[in-house]
Amino acid sequence: MTAAAFLVVFGLMLIEVRRATRNERAQRRRGGVEPSGDVYEAMRLAYPAAFLTMFAEGAMRGRPGTGVLIAGATLFGCAKALKWWAIATLGPFWTFRVIVLPGAPLVASGPYRWMRHPNYVGVIGELIGTALITGAAISGPVVTAIFMALLSKRIAVESRTLNAARSPAPTSKQHVPH
């Protein structure tokens, strides 16, 4: 089961990398802006490393009980479904990087109708689900907490950038604070 889970987790991750890379190039061609201060470089390493760490711990610990394995697989599947719903809703705007097209409306359909960051909720669900699947009782909570800290920084950068992109540009009649 662990080998199959490994292939599923990393196979799906490769599909997402390919889509994100394609969308990033398209966003830049359309004038997309990438803000400073993002934690993308750290996340880009931490995300696959988190899963590798959990699989390594799981290999040392052995297979978890059937109930835990089923709960983990169910959570992972639901989290991935939520994440892909967010990806499908954002369409060409979904990327791993924060790239915002100035003037583009904020997406408020699909899962964004009910929550601000369904993609990130999905990611945390993937991590917790994988921790259960692999039996990573130590590394699972640790890597999830680390990734949540990175996500909180990412959300702050993303929110700041989206707000700036939606704000009207000052005109000559408007006062611009220095």
Side-chain angles (χ1 to χ4, degrees), residues 105-123:
L106 190 62
V107 173
S109 60
Y112 293 92
R113 192 174 337 173
W114 295 286
M115 64 181 80
R116 288 190 54 112
H117 301 286
N119 184 76
Y120 301 149
V121 171
V123 167

Side-chain angles (χ1 to χ4, degrees), residues 11-173:
L12 295 173
M13 197 180 298
L14 288 174
I15 291 167
E16 291 168 5
V17 166
R18 189 172 177 179
R19 182 173 188 153
T21 302
R22 183 180 64 239
N23 288 348
E24 287 166 10
R25 284 193 299 262
Q27 282 288 82
R28 286 189 179 102
R29 281 193 305 270
R30 289 191 300 263
V33 176
E34 188 170 0
S36 62
D38 190 19
V39 293
Y40 171 73
E41 291 302 325
M43 290 176 76
R44 152 182 182 191
L45 298 173
Y47 185 67
F51 290 98
L52 285 172
T53 302
M54 290 187 284
F55 277 105
E57 181 183 346
M60 291 187 296
R61 285 187 177 274
R63 184 176 178 257
T66 303
V68 173
L69 189 65
I70 291 170
T74 301
L75 178 57
F76 183 88
C78 290
K80 193 58 91 170
L82 175 61
K83 183 178 179 182
W84 281 2
W85 187 19
I87 291 169
T89 300
L90 290 176
F93 294 103
W94 180 80
T95 65
F96 284 156
R97 297 176 180 273
V98 175
I99 301 175
V100 176
L101 192 61
L106 190 62
V107 173
S109 60
Y112 293 92
R113 192 174 337 173
W114 295 286
M115 64 181 80
R116 288 190 54 112
H117 301 286
N119 184 76
Y120 301 149
V121 171
V123 167
I124 296 304
E126 290 171 347
L127 290 166
I128 295 169
T130 300
L132 293 170
I133 290 167
T134 61
I138 296 169
S139 63
V142 170
V143 299
T144 301
I146 290 168
F147 209 78
M148 286 175 74
L150 287 171
L151 281 176
S152 70
K153 291 180 180 185
R154 161 57 72 90
I155 288 169
V157 169
E158 189 174 289
S159 295
R160 175 178 41 88
T161 307
L162 286 169
N163 288 336
R166 288 193 334 259
S167 297
T171 65
S172 60
K173 294 181 182 178

